[in-house]
Amino acid sequence: MQVSYHHVDKSNSLNDFVEEKMQRFSQNKEKFSNINWDISKEGGLYKAAVRFKASGKIFKMEGKAGNAYASVLKVLRKMKSALPRKIKSEQRLHRKHVGLH
């Protein structure tokens, strides 16, 4: 997992926060790979964006908030609600295509 910063000072505590949250999240969910976090500041808001691979598909999600930690939490909430549906949908499509051969 990589965390990069743009227009924000690098923070070990923020790195630890992201790593801990991703560890908890991945214990209950799909296995992730190629995880790249990008934390930046745009205007007065912090933006956290994550790009990762799960179930053979690449996902990208982002969130904006008044501080960097809150923006990371927004992304994780989006992942929690959206990811299971997207993966199940992909698996259903895959099963349909496998039967055609």
Side-chain angles (χ1 to χ4, degrees):
M1 182 176 77
Q2 290 183 308
V3 180
S4 59
Y5 297 89
H6 298 282
H7 305 291
V8 179
D9 292 335
K10 185 176 179 180
S11 166
N12 289 333
S13 64
L14 187 54
N15 282 351
D16 294 342
F17 179 77
V18 170
E19 201 168 307
E20 177 190 333
K21 295 295 183 183
M22 280 302 295
Q23 227 172 11
R24 284 190 197 169
F25 186 77
S26 64
Q27 287 174 353
N28 302 326
K29 303 289 181 193
E30 190 71 25
K31 295 294 181 202
F32 302 112
S33 62
N34 301 337
I35 304 167
N36 293 305
W37 281 88
D38 182 39
I39 299 172
S40 60
K41 191 167 185 180
E42 295 178 359
L45 296 176
Y46 288 87
K47 178 175 132 182
V50 65
R51 184 183 165 116
F52 59 92
K53 188 173 182 179
S55 296
K57 184 172 177 166
I58 295 174
F59 294 90
K60 183 176 182 185
M61 297 180 186
E62 61 183 48
K64 293 182 181 180
N67 70 55
Y69 295 91
S71 64
V72 169
L73 289 174
K74 277 191 174 186
V75 173
L76 290 168
R77 271 189 242 118
K78 285 182 182 181
M79 288 172 67
K80 185 176 181 180
S81 65
L83 195 57
R85 287 180 293 181
K86 287 183 178 181
I87 290 173
K88 286 180 184 175
S89 172
E90 289 293 317
Q91 288 172 344
R92 277 194 302 262
L93 290 173
H94 180 67
R95 280 194 292 260
K96 288 180 184 176
H97 292 295
V98 170
L100 295 175
H101 297 287

